[in-house]
Amino acid sequence: MSRTARSRARLRLGLTATALLTAAALVPAPAHAEDVTDYTLTVDPDARGATIGDTMYGVFFEDINRAADGGLYAELVQNRSFEYSTADHGSYTPLTSWTAAGTAEVLNDAGRLGERNRNYLSLGAGSSVTNAGYNTGIRVEKGKRYDFSVWARAGGGTTLTVGLKDAAGQLASTRQVAVKGGWTKYRATFTASRTSNRGRLTVASSSAAALDMVSLFPRDTYRNQPNGLRKDLAEKIAALKPGFVRFPGGCLVNTGSMEDYSEASGWQRKRSYQWKDTVGPVEERATNANFWGYNQSYGLGYYEYFRFAEDVGAMPLPVVPALVTGCGQNRATDDEALLERHIQDTLDLIEFANGPATSTWGKVRAEMGHPKPFGLTHIGVGNEENLPREFFARFQRFRAAIEAKHPDITVISNSGPDDSGTTFETAWQLNREGGVDMVDEHYYNSPQWFLQNNDRYDAYDREGPKVFLGEYASQGNAWKNGLAEAAFMTGLERNADLVELASYAPLLANEDHVQWSPDMIWFNNHASWGSANYEVQKLFMNNVGDRVVPSTASTTPGVSGPITGAVGLSTWATSAAYDDVKVTAADGSTLLSDDFSGGAAQWKHVGGGSWSVQDGRYVQTDETAENTMVTAGDPAWHDYDLHVRATKRSGKEGFLVAFGVRDTGNLYWWNLGGWNNTRSAVEQAVDGGKSTLISRSGSIETGRSYDIDIKVRGRQVTLYLDGREWGGFTDDKPAEPFRQVVTEDARTGELIVKVVNAQPAEARTAIDLGGAKVAPTARVTTLAADADAVNTETDTPVTPVTSTVRGVSDEFAYTFPAHSVTFLRIRQW
């Protein structure tokens, strides 16, 4: 037996006394033996693992949570062109964010600045308007310069007095601008005399005037680009060193009208994101109602996106509409002329990015300031379509047109909004049969799911399409979420031959305007901070390596018991009635029987809604209430049959029947007629985070009674609807907390040992580098914190700590802290 073989055999049996002494030398010994779990990690440096591309990890920018206006886009004036509308949000008016003194009226007539900039402000003599900016106000910093501009028209001439103040007084010297004649752009510069987060910009006119595009920009934008990006946010994204930037959506791509913004279409405001609306001079760009409930100005458009991707060294990855809506809308557009127009728009986008400055759209790019092509290589068509066959028929039209003119462009398809289910399976079948190059997968699941599914891509067909994991997150910004995502990412890297691109989502969130959480980077009008998830992404993205070095590790001792828990009934935006509930043990004995003839005393109301017994049925009457759970039984129950008769009375969805209920955050439920009554699924909640175990399309009829039966045996569950088997699953995948992957950095010659220890116990680990000759010291970067720790503006408990460890050799031991992600960079001789 060779030395290496002997050492591996010894390590499989556990830590040797020498290894324990080495571990103690490297990391202080824990106080209690029960706080330590022993592991082995064996590396085979001579074996060849998957090559990892430079673009594996990237970011996805969608204008959600006010990520653009009031966020990454550096404009400080909100509603600068008076285009806000009830189409954007029910509370909006053209003067939202403005207050007027005197006579100020927003007009939409032939006197406007331009056809696509429909509104402008008519300001009377001696009148003024004041803008409140975003969050608490306009943020200025002492000594910094700010560029004001306005488009104005005053036939008889006027003087505009422009001031920057807060409640305490002036923030900069007042500026006066002389205006005369037709629409012209005027400029002035402020230097802030003090710092404030509550600034207000006031524009007053001595005589009647028309105003539009009132703007205030910090001079200090990212890379000092004109019409630029907020520096601190852009720098945080750049610090990730993203390999690609996906843009602009998300739901912005595949919702709303597919028509353009023109008189012919009735100036439709609720449109899909269409790139031609977003280029050219900012005063000529269209406006739109953002899917997430606010206005988007398109000041940050496709040109700024391409420029930003270039500035951070990332590959641009735009996504265009496929003319099949999603995100709850689920409609296919059958207008052939409209489809052809969007296909041509996509070809024009490629020309805008890659064409010479003499081409039609390359000339537009050059005139905006970038004669050199951007070098587009990938483009996505569609996003999370729930109609896979309708989507794929249109996708093939886009792909054929793109490949005919640009055969070097990779055209990316998608697999719908979930990690499994009928839509996912149908989409993947069509993509495989159609020979698609790459498929975009999206899923948002619980930390438990991410710990259980590290091997998700191990068994994928290597002869089929590659995977782009375009959106994923574990439903929270606590450190336990970051740990679960880190554990999952070790599996992504292990499968880098298949998973070529991956991006956490969403990227940005304004803390005062949140439509979706969790998010990677949070901000307000004066500060920004990375979440725990951001620190995980940054650590992986800055330490990728060029190839996977095959390695194996032992697992955590532990055996799962049977599914245990009480039972429950619930609704979601629906009124429903329940009857004839019966729970029977595996031996045939009755655990619970309730026909509600004597009331509902056995049930505990733990959610919202309004429950009462009516005509011998237990009824939830509030069709607007969500998560209306009532429970009954013993959390220790296991191996039982549950029968329920359920009837939908009214509302948007169906009904929910729960089992394995340990508490309100830990349960399984069969959601029948969920997602606006379009599909049914079994979801598992672990510590409040939900993941889907099985899913099918289908709806629930109002007024019809359904017999629901759920059979629980050990960790296997079988579900029956009206006496017919609907589906089943076995929840037996371990949520393994100890995960690892090893890669090699070809430039430095270093092995990068990446270990995730997502448990409350330290992980004392014997590491065998397979005889590799290595330096005696290694650089270590560690992220460690309490599982529930959350980064905020003022407190960042999840922060990388770097150090140097000594005593490294081809066989050594290291104790990985509880709740930690650790990267060891070990130099090879």
Side-chain angles (χ1 to χ4, degrees):
M1 183 180 288
S2 69
R3 173 180 177 275
T4 300
R6 284 196 305 272
S7 66
R8 291 177 182 172
R10 184 175 69 243
L11 290 169
R12 280 195 295 270
L13 294 174
L15 288 168
T16 64
T18 301
L20 286 171
L21 287 173
T22 307
L26 294 175
V27 177
H32 303 287
E34 63 268 22
D35 293 335
V36 180
T37 306
D38 288 344
Y39 296 91
T40 62
L41 194 167
T42 304
V43 182
D44 189 351
D46 297 325
R48 299 296 300 181
T51 298
I52 306 174
D54 293 338
T55 58
M56 178 168 185
Y57 293 125
V59 295
F60 165 41
F61 179 88
E62 179 176 10
D63 189 357
I64 185 174
N65 308 313
R66 288 192 180 268
D69 296 327
L72 185 60
Y73 186 48
E75 174 65 75
L76 296 173
V77 175
Q78 184 174 179
N79 190 18
R80 66 183 178 186
S81 59
F82 310 101
E83 297 290 340
Y84 276 28
S85 163
T86 53
D88 310 325
H89 191 280
S91 68
Y92 282 2
T93 75
L95 282 173
T96 292
S97 194
W98 294 92
T99 55
T103 304
E105 182 182 7
V106 175
L107 301 179
N108 179 349
D109 59 26
R112 65 178 65 89
L113 175 61
E115 277 296 290
R116 290 159 67 82
N117 193 336
R118 307 291 295 165
N119 291 349
Y120 67 96
L121 180 71
S122 174
L123 194 61
S127 301
S128 66
V129 286
T130 299
N131 191 267
Y134 295 92
N135 298 87
T136 58
I138 292 173
R139 161 74 173 187
V140 296
E141 295 182 52
K142 182 178 180 179
K144 294 289 183 70
R145 300 178 74 186
Y146 297 84
D147 292 324
F148 168 83
S149 65
V150 63
W151 282 81
R153 171 169 55 83
T158 189
T159 298
L160 299 181
T161 301
V162 187
L164 193 57
K165 300 180 179 180
D166 64 9
Q170 284 194 342
L171 294 170
S173 299
T174 300
R175 295 288 183 259
Q176 291 190 326
V177 178
V179 174
K180 189 170 185 178
W183 285 110
T184 305
K185 188 174 184 178
Y186 298 90
R187 295 178 174 86
T189 299
F190 292 96
T191 299
S193 57
R194 56 188 176 86
T195 295
S196 176
N197 301 328
R198 301 177 181 275
R200 299 291 188 268
L201 179 74
T202 297
V203 181
S205 183
S206 61
S207 301
L211 307 180
D212 206 347
M213 297 297 292
V214 182
S215 173
L216 187 69
F217 256 88
R219 178 73 58 85
D220 189 17
T221 60
Y222 182 66
R223 296 205 172 191
N224 298 314
Q225 296 277 18
N227 196 48
L229 305 182
R230 178 170 150 175
K231 190 173 182 180
D232 63 324
L233 290 176
E235 286 178 344
K236 280 185 171 59
I237 299 169
L240 293 167
K241 299 181 181 177
F244 64 87
V245 181
R246 179 176 176 244
F247 175 93
C251 291
L252 301 191
V253 166
N254 66 339
T255 56
S257 168
M258 299 294 166
E259 299 286 349
D260 62 1
Y261 191 57
S262 67
E263 184 177 9
S265 65
W267 305 106
Q268 292 191 41
R269 286 292 291 266
K270 295 186 176 182
R271 309 182 312 281
S272 63
Y273 196 108
Q274 300 175 46
W275 78 271
K276 289 180 180 178
D277 289 341
T278 77
V279 298
V282 290
E283 67 274 10
E284 296 177 8
R285 299 183 190 182
T287 189
N288 203 6
N290 183 290
F291 172 81
W292 298 106
Y294 53 90
N295 176 271
Q296 55 192 90
S297 72
Y298 290 144
L300 194 171
Y302 254 93
Y303 176 76
E304 291 75 26
Y305 155 63
F306 279 127
R307 191 180 64 194
F308 179 57
E310 181 179 71
D311 285 345
V312 299
M315 175 183 81
L317 203 166
V319 183
V320 298
L323 273 71
V324 178
T325 58
C327 300
Q329 297 183 358
N330 302 337
R331 298 187 305 271
T333 302
D334 291 321
D335 186 325
E336 178 65 21
L338 191 59
L339 175 62
E340 287 291 342
R341 194 266 287 175
H342 275 266
I343 291 172
Q344 185 59 50
D345 281 355
T346 301
L347 297 174
D348 292 344
L349 173 61
I350 296 171
E351 183 176 282
F352 177 79
N354 290 355
T358 54
S359 64
T360 300
W361 288 102
K363 182 180 180 182
V364 173
R365 181 197 68 241
E367 289 174 346
M368 293 183 73
H370 202 286
K372 180 182 176 182
F374 284 113
L376 177 67
T377 60
H378 291 64
I379 193 165
V381 176
N383 169 77
E384 293 188 7
E385 282 72 26
N386 261 315
L387 302 173
R389 297 190 184 280
E390 292 86 342
F391 160 74
F392 197 72
R394 290 155 181 78
F395 170 83
Q396 289 180 302
R397 297 276 300 277
F398 278 84
R399 182 176 62 167
I402 294 168
E403 290 181 345
K405 291 198 69 173
H406 306 281
D408 295 334
I409 297 287
T410 298
V411 187
I412 303 172
S413 181
N414 75 82
S415 59
D418 295 306
D419 61 272
S420 60
T422 303
T423 296
F424 177 86
E425 291 164 3
T426 302
W428 258 105
Q429 178 185 356
L430 293 168
N431 286 316
R432 280 192 295 267
E433 291 173 352
V436 169
D437 290 329
M438 183 174 287
V439 176
D440 186 3
E441 292 191 353
H442 296 177
Y443 38 80
Y444 297 90
N445 289 318
S446 67
Q448 171 104 346
W449 186 93
F450 283 94
L451 292 175
Q452 288 177 320
N453 285 276
N454 175 274
D455 63 348
R456 174 178 175 86
Y457 296 107
D458 289 359
Y460 267 50
D461 179 10
R462 262 50 188 178
E463 300 303 316
K466 302 297 184 181
V467 171
F468 169 27
L469 180 49
E471 297 182 32
Y472 72 99
S474 71
Q475 301 175 340
N477 277 142
W479 179 226
K480 62 188 175 186
N481 301 98
L483 284 168
E485 291 154 7
F488 188 74
M489 291 170 77
T490 66
L492 298 182
E493 290 194 4
R494 188 175 63 251
N495 288 283
D497 61 316
L498 176 82
V499 184
E500 292 192 344
L501 307 169
S503 51
Y504 177 99
L507 178 62
L508 295 173
N510 184 320
E511 66 173 351
D512 293 333
H513 302 279
V514 181
Q515 290 83 42
W516 185 281
S517 183
D519 303 284
M520 195 193 300
I521 300 170
W522 291 79
F523 65 91
N524 49 39
N525 65 349
H526 61 274
S528 58
W529 57 97
S531 64
N533 319 68
Y534 171 86
E535 295 299 343
V536 166
Q537 294 293 322
K538 184 178 178 182
L539 186 59
F540 272 85
M541 292 165 77
N542 281 264
N543 296 276
V544 181
D546 302 284
R547 73 173 181 98
V548 176
V549 181
S551 60
T552 58
S554 57
T555 57
T556 306
V559 179
S560 295
I563 292 174
T564 61
V567 298
L569 311 171
S570 187
T571 61
W572 201 285
T574 305
S575 173
Y578 294 92
D579 203 357
D580 298 332
V581 179
K582 189 171 184 178
V583 181
T584 307
D587 63 6
S589 61
T590 299
L591 300 175
L592 172 72
S593 181
D594 203 338
D595 63 3
F596 303 106
S597 59
Q602 299 183 80
W603 297 83
K604 180 181 179 182
H605 188 186
V606 296
S610 179
W611 289 85
S612 61
V613 175
Q614 300 179 14
D615 300 323
R617 300 188 301 175
Y618 202 18
V619 181
Q620 199 292 112
T621 56
D622 185 351
E623 68 176 50
T624 64
E626 300 177 347
N627 199 16
T628 65
M629 179 77 71
V630 292
T631 62
D634 189 337
W637 281 351
H638 61 88
D639 297 296
Y640 56 76
D641 297 326
L642 167 62
H643 173 80
V644 178
R645 173 163 286 192
T647 306
K648 173 182 176 178
R649 300 169 77 239
S650 62
K652 297 179 180 179
E653 304 205 348
F655 32 74
L656 303 107
V657 178
F659 56 98
V661 180
R662 298 205 302 275
D663 54 52
T664 56
N666 294 276
L667 53 84
Y668 302 80
W669 67 19
W670 189 2
N671 185 351
L672 291 116
W675 298 271
N676 288 319
N677 205 15
T678 61
R679 62 189 176 100
S680 299
V682 176
E683 297 176 283
Q684 180 186 17
V686 178
D687 295 332
K690 286 190 297 184
S691 55
T692 300
L693 302 180
I694 182 173
S695 175
R696 283 183 167 186
S697 59
S699 59
I700 293 297
E701 298 176 23
T702 301
R704 174 185 167 188
S705 294
Y706 291 84
D707 284 311
I708 298 163
D709 291 277
I710 301 172
K711 181 178 181 179
V712 181
R713 293 294 184 273
R715 302 200 67 80
Q716 184 174 344
V717 177
T718 310
L719 306 114
Y720 301 87
L721 187 62
D722 287 336
R724 300 181 64 179
E725 185 172 332
W726 179 87
F729 64 91
T730 302
D731 182 23
D732 60 355
K733 295 189 73 172
E736 173 58 58
F738 186 81
R739 297 291 190 184
Q740 58 79 33
V741 69
V742 180
T743 64
E744 183 180 47
D745 186 329
R747 182 181 62 83
T748 64
E750 292 172 307
L751 293 174
I752 312 173
V753 179
K754 311 173 186 183
V755 175
V756 180
N757 181 27
Q759 63 187 324
E762 293 181 330
R764 188 169 50 192
T765 307
I767 301 174
D768 179 359
L769 298 179
K773 293 180 172 59
V774 296
T777 61
R779 289 184 294 150
V780 183
T781 304
T782 303
L783 295 169
D786 293 337
D788 294 323
V790 176
N791 284 357
T792 67
E793 178 185 349
T794 57
D795 185 25
T796 53
V798 182
T799 302
V801 175
T802 58
S803 61
T804 300
V805 64
R806 303 184 185 282
V808 176
S809 65
D810 68 325
E811 294 180 53
F812 69 104
Y814 192 89
T815 298
F816 296 95
H819 296 138
S820 68
V821 180
T822 305
F823 280 29
L824 296 159
R825 293 192 70 112
I826 303 170
R827 186 159 50 89
Q828 299 181 90
W829 292 122

